[in-house]
């Protein structure tokens, strides 16, 4: 049970009047008229009224004491924050000489509504448009720079307080907004290491701000400041206890005091507030025009926050008291992130090692949701674009710096913006008799947009991280409207799913339940075995050709895209697709790639139209050509695969173009180590290495032309460094045409075919093994209409530690949990049960579609 402070006097007006009347009856019985019209009773009620007002003030004493207690532990009302924005100054044509944009340049919006003064942004650095350039960018803040304001003079005594004339002082979220307090000091007392600022003919020593005057160590020239009121306080004089426990006879100053008659000047920024969070491309007016120069803000201004309310400070105080000014728990990190920047509405702290196999222990990641001003929302609705426009690097930098100061020793921090998944709901609501359909529909939509929202609203604290959206949520939301009789036909819709033309599929062998798929320029990831897919990267203007996960290092994934000019672009992620970097671009096509290890470092082997290359992941590295066949130096390659055998042998196998067969190196692809092992005159487009217990096999899938039934696959067993002298062909019962892909689960091999869906084979039976075709056309894979055969399956992948098998093609992705016996689509965009969500993502509303009908209309249907 929470503790409640009692009222010091709980008497009410009526009680005091009644008590007074009882005293009248006892002491003055001849006073018989106690009606409200009696003059004496009027006076009595007047005094009761005044007394009630005094009691009200008295009962506020506990609240005042609470405020004072919080002040004693250092809790103060937070000052406003200034919005920050990147301004782009430009000229129509390249300048013949550098054009200076002076510090203090003021920029504002073209107009403001509601009679409110427009937000004014000020540059705090001098920059110049370089010669022969047309533009320059600089940070600006929604504040006013006050320079060298004289706030008083030293008295030579301890405990001096002075105040700036134009509070509030904005929060110092970075060095640009740092307040400077200078005390006039004789030049002879200033050494090289003393921070000094000159103003006029005088020198001012810069004093240092501290939160309080305890534990100062060697700091002596210090002060404290209340930015809301603008009061600056210097150290007081105190009698402290001696070692024996007695008070000192003479008090001592806790730090230095300004000397008598020394000027105290302050350089500071004033202003700030949520008003500064203006939209992009609105800051176009220069308060002091510069001839020929125009200005615009390419991104929205963020970080503006009003002065904290007293009520919020009273609620925040106990949290700060328990955190002891350190970020230890998840809530500490989240609270500090929200307080550090007005650009953040929500924050979520996670221990990365609990989520990612590749993460280093002791790393805390803080995920941020940007604040979107109410005037930029349509009711409670907010779209992903509006959120992303406010995801600035400046806000991330501010929060990261704040977290680094407060994190425990041995803990590292990361700061990133949250990712969103857009979902729309459709439903039919049947209204009660007498209800207005248009009004009811508007109220239902408002509830949906408010509830399925990453930002806090009046009715919701924001969607929970990782919480799936179920159709039951939609029923609950809609039925909260009293005018709704019942709801039916509820569906959930996604816009971004890999629903067609799958160009590549890959299973992450380290991260549980994680898969990657590609269609066009879009890369998707599923972290729940295909129950849900999230768009994690769009390679604009390029088409993803293949995805390859490193089987030796957790978190590493490579993607190859094709460019409009038929070249290729290679990207690598080292954190399961959370971030990507481009590492190579080639004028020729990269047909395939594989990971290998050399000297403990991961390398990529590239099969291209122009030869075989290896590429390190170091910054600025270039592909290095590997010689495969000295007699055919211009030989190109379709496929490559690499692996480390059970005995530590580094295998690299390649399939050559022009029906030139397969080459194998058992020394990691080094020069003069490749041996031709067969399949000359066969068109090999697929190579994979299978690790079955202690045995290692190299598989080749054969491509055929036209309507040929196909030739199946070929296998070699790899033993040590000696190349295999023979292999086994697996063609029995194969009539699927070309082999487009291979995947393995223990001894079982799964092949993606052109005509027969996914075939499987038990390789333990050796030469007697035969391919198993799907039992009938109703296994769940898409079927062609004309020939009653399956649509081509272009990709197949299996998770080495799970029971799932994935197949992809022109109709999307299909999953099997019974080793290829049956399949179900896992790339649909309409759901009748739920839409899943990764634990670090949030849902955002799309365009909800609600049909409202009367009971009569529902019965007719």
């Amino acid at each position: 049970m929470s503790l409640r402070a009692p009222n010091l006097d709980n008497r009410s007006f009526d009680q005091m009047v009644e008590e007074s009347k009882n005293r009248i009856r006892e002491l003055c019985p001849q006073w018989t008229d106690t009606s409200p019209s009696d003059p004496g009773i009027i006076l009595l009620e007047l005094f009761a009224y005044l007394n009630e007002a005094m009691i009200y003030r008295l009962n506020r004493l506990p609240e005042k004491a609470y405020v004072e207690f919080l002040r004693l532990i250092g809790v103060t009302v937070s000052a406003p924050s200034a919005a920050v924005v990147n301004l782009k100054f430009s000229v129509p044509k390249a300048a013949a000489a550098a054009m200076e944009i002076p510090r203090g340049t003021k920029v504002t919006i073209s107009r403001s509504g509601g009679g409110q003064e427009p937000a004014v942004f000020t540059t705090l650095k001098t920059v110049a448009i370089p010669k022969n350039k047309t533009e320059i960018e600089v940070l600006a803040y929604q504040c006013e720079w006050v320079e060298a304001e004289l706030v008083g003079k030293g008295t030579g005594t301890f405990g001096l307080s002075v105040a700036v004339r134009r509070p509030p002082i904005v929060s110092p979220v970075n060095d640009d907004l740092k307040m400077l307090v200078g005390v006039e000091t004789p030049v002879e007392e200033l050494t090289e290491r003393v921070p000094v600022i000159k103003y006029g003919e005088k020198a001012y020593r810069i004093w240092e701000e501290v939160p309080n005057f305890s534990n100062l160590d060697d700091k002596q020239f210090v002060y404290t400041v209340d930015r809301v009121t603008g009061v600056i306080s210097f150290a007081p004089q105190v009698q402290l206890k001696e070692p024996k426990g007695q008070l000192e006879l003479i008090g001592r100053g806790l730090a230095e005091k300004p000397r008598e008659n020394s000027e105290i000047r302050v350089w500071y920024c004033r202003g700030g507030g949520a008003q500064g969070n203006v939209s992009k491309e609105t800051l176009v007016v220069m308060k002091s025009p510069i001839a020929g120069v125009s200005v615009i803000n390419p991104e929205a201004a963020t970080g503006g926050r009003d002065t904290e309310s007293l009520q919020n400070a009273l609620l925040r105080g106990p949290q700060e008291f328990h955190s002891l000014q350190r970020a230890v728990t998840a809530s500490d990190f989240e609270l500090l992130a929200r307080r550090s920047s007005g650009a953040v509405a929500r924050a979520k702290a996670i221990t990365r090692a609990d989520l990612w196999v590749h993460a280093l222990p002791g790393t805390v990641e803080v995920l941020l949701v940007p604040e979107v001003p109410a005037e930029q929302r349509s009711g409670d609705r907010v779209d992903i674009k509006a959120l992303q426009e406010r995801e600035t690097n400046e806000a991330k930098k501010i929060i990261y710096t704040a977290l680094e100061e407060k994190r425990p020793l041995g803990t590292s921090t990361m700061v990133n913006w949250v990712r969103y998944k857009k979902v729309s709901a459709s439903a039919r609501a049947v209204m009660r008799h007498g209800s207005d359909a248009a009004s009811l529909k508007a109220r239902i939509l408002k509830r949906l947009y408010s509830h399925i929202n990453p930002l806090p609203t009046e009715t919701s604290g924001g969607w929970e991280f990782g919480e799936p959206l179920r159709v039951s949520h939609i029923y609950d939301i809609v039925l909260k409207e009293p005018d709704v009789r019942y709801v039916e036909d509820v569906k959930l819709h996604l816009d971004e799913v890999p629903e067609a033309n799958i160009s590549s599929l890959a299973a992450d062998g380290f991260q549980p339940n994680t898969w990657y798929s590609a269609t066009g320029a879009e890369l998707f990831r599923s972290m729940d075995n295909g129950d849900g897919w999230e768009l994690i990267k769009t390679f604009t203007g390029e088409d993803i050709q293949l995805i390859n996960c490193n089987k030796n290092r957790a978190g590493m994934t490579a993607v190859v895209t094709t460019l409009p000019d038929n070249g290729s672009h290679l990207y690598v992620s080292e954190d399961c697709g959370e971030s990507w970097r481009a590492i190579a671009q080639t004028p020729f096509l990269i047909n395939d790639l594989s990971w290998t290890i050399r000297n403990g470092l991961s390398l990529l082997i590239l099969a291209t139209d122009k030869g075989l290359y290896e590429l390190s992941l170091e910054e600025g590295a270039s592909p290095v050509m590997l010689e495969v066949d000295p007699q055919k130096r211009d030989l190109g390659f379709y496929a490559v695969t690499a692996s480390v055998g059970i005995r530590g042998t580094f295998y690299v196998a390649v399939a050559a173009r022009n029906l030139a067969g397969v080459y194998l190196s058992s020394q990691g692809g080094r020069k003069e180590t490749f041996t031709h092992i067969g399949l000359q005159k066969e068109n090999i487009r697929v190579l994979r290495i299978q690790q079955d217990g202690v045995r290692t096999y190299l598989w080749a899938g054969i491509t055929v032309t036209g309507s040929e039934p196909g030739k199946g696959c070929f296998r070699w067993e790899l033993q040590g460094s000696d190349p295999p002298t023979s292999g086994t062909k697996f063609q029995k019962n194969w009539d699927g045409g070309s082999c487009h892909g291979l995947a393995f689960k223990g001894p079982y091999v799964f092949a993606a075919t052109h005509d027969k869906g996914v075939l499987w084979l038990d390789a333990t039976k050796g030469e007697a093994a035969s391919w198993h075709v799907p039992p009938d056309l109703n296994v769940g894979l898409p079927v062609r209409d004309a020939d009653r055969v399956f649509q081509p399956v272009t990709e197949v992948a299996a998770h080495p530690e799970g029971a799932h098998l994935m197949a992809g093609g022109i109709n999307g992705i299909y999953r099997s949990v019974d080793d290829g016996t049956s399949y179900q689509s896992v790339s649909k965009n309409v759901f009748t049960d739920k839409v899943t969500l990764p634990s670090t993502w949030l849902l955002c509303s799309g365009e909800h579609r609600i049909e409202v009908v009367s009971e009569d209309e529902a019965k007719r249907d």
Side-chain angles (χ1 to χ4, degrees):
M1 178 179 175
S2 61
L3 298 177
R4 293 186 179 181
N7 285 331
L8 300 181
D9 191 333
N10 59 3
R11 290 176 298 171
S12 68
F13 171 83
D14 291 335
Q15 288 175 324
M16 287 186 285
V17 170
E18 188 59 34
E19 183 180 340
S20 299
K21 288 181 178 179
N22 289 335
R23 294 290 291 172
I24 291 173
R25 296 186 187 102
E26 292 177 8
L27 301 177
C28 192
Q30 62 273 25
W31 189 346
T32 58
D33 186 6
T34 57
S35 65
S37 60
D38 183 76
I41 296 301
I42 293 175
L43 288 175
L44 186 148
E45 291 180 345
L46 173 61
F47 283 107
Y49 170 78
L50 295 174
N51 204 32
E52 184 184 46
M54 293 174 62
I55 290 174
Y56 168 76
R57 304 295 298 181
L58 176 66
N59 286 333
R60 294 197 64 189
L61 181 60
E63 181 182 344
K64 174 176 172 57
Y66 180 59
V67 173
E68 290 300 320
F69 291 150
L70 289 178
R71 186 182 63 79
L72 285 175
I73 64 172
V75 176
T76 59
V77 173
S78 295
S81 296
V84 58
V85 70
N86 217 26
L87 292 180
K88 181 187 290 186
F89 292 90
S90 57
V91 292
K93 59 181 181 179
M99 182 169 291
E100 183 178 276
I101 309 297
R103 174 184 182 181
T105 299
K106 293 181 172 59
V107 178
T108 187
I109 60 177
S110 57
R111 56 198 170 106
S112 63
Q116 187 179 21
E117 284 295 320
V120 177
F121 285 75
T122 306
T123 63
L124 300 183
K125 292 180 179 179
T126 297
V127 296
I129 301 176
K131 181 181 178 181
N132 299 325
K133 300 291 183 180
T134 60
E135 60 186 39
I136 188 72
E137 291 189 358
V138 62
L139 286 178
Y141 301 87
Q142 193 258 315
C143 65
E144 180 182 353
W145 175 251
V146 180
E147 185 172 10
E149 181 181 290
L150 180 63
V151 295
K153 291 188 176 182
T155 60
T157 59
F158 290 102
L160 174 66
S161 291
V162 293
V164 301
R165 289 195 288 268
R166 305 177 65 192
I169 305 169
V170 301
S171 296
V173 293
N174 58 26
D175 289 342
D176 290 345
L177 300 176
K178 188 175 181 180
M179 180 180 72
L180 299 179
V181 174
V183 178
E184 181 186 355
T185 306
V187 176
E188 58 271 15
E189 294 184 11
L190 301 175
T191 64
E192 293 183 358
R193 295 187 176 182
V194 172
V196 176
I197 187 170
K198 291 189 176 180
Y199 182 76
E201 300 297 324
K202 297 179 180 180
Y204 296 82
R205 177 173 186 145
I206 302 302
W207 288 41
E208 183 178 354
E209 181 185 345
V210 293
N212 53 67
F213 295 110
S214 60
N215 303 317
L216 293 176
D217 297 326
D218 58 347
K219 299 176 182 178
Q220 290 298 309
F221 296 89
V222 296
Y223 66 91
T224 63
V225 61
D226 183 334
R227 283 180 163 75
V228 175
T229 61
V231 175
I232 299 166
S233 302
F234 296 94
Q237 185 178 28
V238 175
Q239 290 177 273
L240 300 176
K241 283 189 176 181
E242 296 177 337
K244 294 182 180 181
Q246 296 179 339
L247 288 176
E248 297 172 331
L249 294 177
I250 301 176
R252 69 173 72 176
L254 297 180
E256 290 290 337
K257 60 181 182 295
R259 69 173 62 213
E260 189 175 2
N261 291 324
S262 59
E263 290 185 353
I264 303 172
R265 291 187 179 272
V266 183
W267 290 255
Y268 64 98
C269 290
R270 67 168 305 277
Q275 178 194 7
N277 297 323
V278 299
S279 302
K280 66 177 183 179
E281 300 177 355
T282 56
L283 296 170
V284 295
V285 177
M286 298 177 63
K287 301 277 282 186
S288 302
I290 302 175
V293 177
S294 61
V295 65
I296 198 170
N297 58 313
E299 297 180 343
T302 61
R305 183 176 58 194
D306 294 330
T307 302
E308 182 183 24
S309 67
L310 175 61
Q311 186 62 32
N312 190 76
L314 296 180
L315 296 174
R316 175 175 54 85
Q319 296 186 44
E320 293 202 357
F321 176 73
H322 291 297
S323 68
L324 300 178
Q325 302 299 313
R326 303 297 299 171
V328 179
T329 67
S331 59
D332 293 340
F333 280 93
E334 293 164 5
L335 176 63
L336 185 58
R338 294 195 302 270
R339 288 185 53 208
S340 301
S341 173
V344 174
R346 296 176 66 189
K348 172 73 172 179
I350 62 169
T351 303
R352 283 179 60 82
D354 291 342
L355 179 63
W356 304 107
V357 175
H358 65 268
L360 293 175
T363 302
V364 176
E365 182 177 17
V366 180
L367 302 169
L368 311 174
V369 181
E371 179 63 83
V372 177
E375 60 270 15
Q376 295 183 22
R377 308 185 200 180
S378 178
D380 284 327
R381 184 178 181 181
V382 61
D383 59 27
I384 294 178
K385 184 178 179 181
L387 291 161
Q388 292 174 340
E389 286 178 351
R390 313 195 77 79
E391 295 175 352
T392 65
N393 289 328
E394 188 65 23
K396 275 178 55 176
K397 180 180 177 182
I398 290 168
I399 293 170
Y400 175 78
T401 301
L403 293 176
E404 281 291 287
E405 293 175 354
K406 300 294 181 68
R407 65 174 175 83
L409 186 65
T411 299
S412 58
T413 56
M414 295 177 63
V415 177
N416 286 304
W417 296 105
V418 169
R419 293 191 176 191
Y420 309 96
K421 191 171 184 176
K422 185 165 66 173
V423 61
S424 303
S426 64
R428 191 185 201 206
V430 178
M431 64 182 179
R432 300 183 187 278
H433 289 296
S435 301
D436 179 70
S439 175
L440 178 57
K441 180 179 179 179
R443 295 198 303 272
I444 292 173
L445 288 174
K446 180 176 176 61
R447 285 185 182 274
L448 288 170
Y449 288 123
S450 176
H451 194 81
I452 308 173
N453 197 322
L455 297 175
T457 64
E458 293 182 0
T459 58
S460 171
W463 193 261
E464 291 294 327
F465 283 85
E467 175 71 17
L469 175 64
R470 297 176 170 85
V471 294
S472 60
H473 287 122
I474 307 302
Y475 282 107
D476 292 341
I477 293 169
V478 178
L479 288 172
K480 284 183 178 178
E481 278 298 326
D483 289 341
V484 174
R485 190 164 185 266
Y486 60 89
V487 187
E488 58 187 8
D489 197 23
V490 175
K491 295 184 179 67
L492 305 175
H493 306 262
L494 295 177
D495 294 336
E496 298 171 336
V497 292
E499 60 181 330
N501 301 318
I502 305 303
S503 59
S504 189
L505 266 175
D508 193 313
F510 290 96
Q511 189 69 29
N513 311 320
T514 298
W515 303 73
Y516 301 91
S517 66
T519 172
E522 298 178 333
L523 177 65
F524 291 85
R525 181 183 66 200
S526 172
M527 299 187 72
D528 51 15
N529 288 320
D531 285 341
W533 294 91
E534 287 75 42
L535 178 63
I536 60 173
K537 178 69 176 177
T538 300
F539 300 93
T540 305
E542 306 173 18
D543 287 323
I544 301 172
Q545 181 182 353
L546 59 96
I547 310 163
N548 194 301
C549 297
N550 194 334
K551 294 181 175 62
N552 304 302
R553 294 284 188 273
M556 301 186 76
T557 304
V559 162
V560 172
T561 66
T562 55
L563 302 172
D565 59 0
N566 293 324
S568 290
H569 215 156
L570 179 58
Y571 301 85
V572 166
S573 171
E574 298 181 52
D575 52 12
C576 288
E578 292 289 283
S579 62
W580 294 87
R581 61 186 177 98
I583 61 171
Q585 183 173 336
T586 61
F588 44 80
L589 288 178
I590 299 174
N591 298 313
D592 198 6
L593 63 78
S594 188
W595 294 91
T596 189
I597 295 179
R598 184 173 297 158
N599 299 324
L601 299 176
S602 292
L603 300 173
L604 286 167
I605 308 295
L606 314 177
T608 78
D609 286 349
K610 299 300 182 181
L612 189 68
Y613 291 82
E614 75 172 22
L615 177 65
S616 73
L617 304 185
E618 297 177 0
E619 197 72 32
S622 299
V624 177
M625 192 170 188
L626 300 175
E627 186 178 85
V628 175
D629 190 337
Q631 306 303 318
K632 302 177 180 179
R633 296 182 180 274
D634 59 347
L635 189 62
F637 300 92
Y638 281 131
V640 61
T641 186
S643 184
V644 181
I646 196 68
R647 298 178 181 177
T649 306
F650 291 84
Y651 297 110
V652 175
V654 290
R657 291 166 58 92
N658 302 323
L659 310 181
V662 176
Y663 294 81
L664 175 70
S665 168
S666 57
Q667 297 183 35
R670 296 182 187 276
K671 184 178 180 181
E672 299 180 355
T673 64
F674 282 93
T675 301
H676 192 279
I677 61 172
L679 294 189
Q680 197 165 5
K681 296 184 180 180
E682 297 288 2
N683 189 357
I684 307 300
R685 302 292 181 101
V686 179
L687 280 180
R688 297 289 186 271
I689 290 180
Q690 176 193 17
Q691 196 71 48
D692 183 13
V694 298
R695 307 181 76 172
T696 304
Y697 298 98
L698 172 64
W699 286 79
I702 303 173
T703 296
V704 296
T705 58
S707 59
E708 293 184 46
K711 299 180 179 181
C713 300
F714 202 88
R715 185 186 77 173
W716 299 267
E717 184 170 5
L718 307 181
Q719 297 176 318
S721 59
D722 295 329
T725 57
S726 63
T728 303
K729 189 173 185 179
F730 295 93
Q731 189 177 1
K732 186 177 179 180
N733 208 24
W734 178 290
D735 61 351
S738 296
C739 176
H740 295 309
L742 290 168
F744 310 100
K745 289 179 65 179
Y748 296 99
V749 183
F750 298 88
T753 72
H754 194 74
D755 295 323
K756 290 296 184 179
V758 178
L759 306 182
W760 68 271
L761 176 142
D762 183 355
T764 60
K765 296 181 179 180
E767 295 182 356
S770 65
W771 293 98
H772 294 257
V773 299
D776 54 51
L777 296 178
N778 297 317
V779 296
L781 292 174
V783 177
R784 301 185 204 180
D785 292 331
D787 301 325
R788 300 305 295 168
V789 295
F790 293 105
Q791 292 280 9
V793 177
T794 56
E795 288 291 326
V796 63
H799 207 289
E801 301 298 331
H804 298 83
L805 179 75
M806 298 278 190
I810 61 173
N811 294 97
I813 302 171
Y814 293 80
R815 179 181 65 191
S816 173
V817 294
D818 53 11
D819 293 331
T821 303
S822 62
Y823 294 84
Q824 64 175 353
S825 173
V826 291
S827 59
K828 58 187 179 182
N829 58 8
V830 180
F831 299 81
T832 56
D833 51 355
K834 65 180 178 180
V835 169
T836 63
L837 192 67
S839 60
T840 57
W841 287 52
L842 288 172
L843 286 180
C844 190
S845 283
E847 193 73 31
H848 299 305
R849 299 183 291 275
I850 301 298
E851 180 188 9
V852 177
V853 298
S854 66
E855 293 184 66
D856 293 337
E857 291 173 315
K859 290 176 182 179
R860 286 198 296 269
D861 293 341

